[in-house]
Amino acid sequence: MILPSVRVFALGDVVLQGAPADAPGYVFSGRVLITIRVPARIQTVKVVFQTAQGGRWARLRHRDTSSDAADNVSFSDSVYSSAGEVWARGTYEFFFRIVLPGDLGETMFTAHKRVAYEVRAQLSGSVRREAVRPVAVKRMPYFGSAWEALASDMVHVSAVWRDRIEMCALGCSRVQRDGQPLRVTGVVRALEKGFCLTKVGVILEERTRCRSARSTSESHVAASRFLRAGEHGDWHGRAIVDQMAFDLELRIPPAYKIQYDVKHGPVTVSHRLAFVVAVVDQFGHGTSLRLFTPLHIMPHDCVDLHDELPAYADVQADRVLLTADAPLELFA
């Protein structure tokens, strides 16, 4: 028996604006394509947005997580219904539109919590077929909120270790997005003679805290970049004279190999950037130093708060908001 094929397409991820208590609903829309190869009797075509079932998303994170039953949701749209009409051979297209609440939890994969979603198209009748596609739920702040100011805030942090070594990190925005390069300049200055540099690099650390009956926290290195000996000049093992500056570039992992900054119930995910150096004094004693500063990993829409107007190349993203049946008479 030749079965029909079902494909489901969504118009991008779900992007909620504002805090869960204040965010308006979101209209999640897309289309379903059904190809009938042999005439079949079809009763319903239904599209469901729901919590992901099974481990469909689990491969994106290197840890075993479990979904909270309190986060299970299901919203549907019946795009076709009949008593059992026979469909001829061909391709059929249906559009769906599902209104989602503004307090929907963001997609999350941590050791303490897993929240994932999918859109499922279901065909029923003389045959039953379905198609599933994962969907990410992201949250962005309102325009004019504190996050907008953070998007233009540049990292500029410094510290002095025992009046011997001064470190400084500067140059990148505190708000970064997944999958993009992060560029930062690290400066090392010796306040005493006799120190040699043996290691230079940057680390992006992801921290997860769970405030519950047993509060727990964990951190791991999401990405790192260290200079090799001979890279960026002849610095390895050389004495630090006055100061030395290094331009470093770190590739931020894609979502959801890195988790966005999120606060979901008792779970909070945050990030910080560390400028790392290792020095050796004149007696051969080594010391590893880290200069930390907060960093925020946000969805693309949260970072591009000051984008220019759309270009003609973006026409495929346009949507029709209003149509007129007849042209208006502007002049009598």
Side-chain angles (χ1 to χ4, degrees):
M1 182 178 182
I2 302 178
L3 299 175
S5 67
V6 179
R7 291 176 291 170
V8 59
F9 303 92
L11 295 179
D13 295 326
V14 176
V15 181
L16 304 172
Q17 296 188 358
D22 305 321
Y26 181 87
V27 178
F28 179 66
S29 58
R31 61 192 181 116
V32 179
L33 290 180
I34 301 174
T35 302
I36 302 294
R37 298 179 176 86
V38 175
R41 192 177 301 276
I42 305 300
Q43 292 180 330
T44 61
V45 178
K46 185 179 181 181
V47 179
V48 182
F49 176 92
Q50 63 183 15
T51 306
Q53 305 298 323
R56 188 176 302 274
W57 283 69
R59 66 184 184 275
L60 295 179
R61 300 289 286 190
H62 304 294
R63 59 191 68 174
D64 184 20
T65 57
S66 59
S67 181
D68 191 341
D71 295 310
N72 291 337
V73 298
S74 179
F75 305 93
S76 63
D77 182 17
S78 181
V79 297
Y80 175 82
S81 179
S82 74
E85 180 181 350
V86 176
W87 288 15
R89 293 179 56 186
T91 299
Y92 300 81
E93 183 179 35
F94 299 91
F95 294 90
F96 65 87
R97 183 176 181 272
I98 301 175
V99 179
L100 303 176
D103 60 352
L104 202 63
E106 300 101 303
T107 299
M108 174 189 297
F109 299 93
T110 71
H112 305 285
K113 198 175 188 66
R114 173 185 178 273
V115 181
Y117 302 95
E118 64 187 14
V119 58
R120 184 181 296 264
Q122 300 171 333
L123 173 73
S124 65
S126 59
V127 293
R128 291 182 177 272
R129 299 286 287 170
E130 66 177 23
V132 182
R133 181 180 294 270
V135 178
V137 174
K138 307 172 183 179
R139 188 173 300 277
M140 63 178 290
Y142 285 118
F143 291 106
S145 66
W147 283 109
E148 187 174 3
L150 281 174
S152 58
D153 183 23
M154 306 299 290
V155 168
H156 191 165
V157 59
S158 61
V160 177
W161 174 70
R162 296 184 179 180
D163 295 327
R164 296 178 179 180
I165 298 291
E166 182 180 6
M167 300 171 60
C168 180
L170 65 156
C172 68
S173 170
R174 288 198 181 276
V175 177
Q176 297 289 324
R177 60 188 179 185
D178 59 290
Q180 75 167 9
L182 184 156
R183 299 179 180 89
V184 63
T185 299
V187 180
V188 184
R189 186 168 64 147
L191 304 180
E192 286 185 2
K193 294 182 179 179
F195 282 97
C196 296
L197 201 57
T198 59
K199 179 188 289 186
V200 177
V202 288
I203 290 176
L204 179 59
E205 182 182 87
E206 182 174 287
R207 299 186 297 170
T208 305
R209 297 189 303 273
C210 182
R211 297 180 301 276
S212 58
R214 293 191 309 167
S215 295
T216 58
S217 64
E218 69 161 16
S219 64
H220 71 277
V221 176
S224 63
R225 170 75 166 92
F226 288 93
L227 296 180
R228 299 183 298 272
E231 185 180 3
H232 204 289
D234 186 16
W235 58 269
H236 188 268
R238 300 293 296 271
I240 305 175
V241 179
D242 191 17
Q243 69 178 23
M244 303 177 71
F246 302 91
D247 294 325
L248 304 166
E249 181 175 308
L250 172 72
R251 173 66 64 172
I252 300 176
Y256 283 85
K257 291 186 177 180
I258 191 170
Q259 176 66 51
Y260 295 124
D261 280 36
V262 64
K263 183 177 181 181
H264 188 107
V267 179
T268 301
V269 180
S270 60
H271 300 83
R272 59 179 183 172
L273 179 70
F275 173 45
V276 182
V277 301
V279 296
V280 177
D281 63 16
Q282 56 187 337
F283 304 106
H285 300 151
T287 303
S288 181
L289 306 173
R290 295 188 178 191
L291 178 62
F292 287 99
T293 185
L295 208 65
H296 307 282
I297 307 300
M298 304 293 287
H300 287 213
D301 293 333
C302 299
V303 180
D304 301 328
L305 293 173
H306 303 287
D307 277 352
E308 298 178 355
L309 292 174
Y312 286 111
D314 302 323
V315 67
Q316 69 274 8
D318 291 350
R319 299 183 184 181
V320 177
L321 299 180
L322 183 64
T323 59
D325 294 332
L328 296 176
E329 294 292 340
L330 299 181
F331 302 98

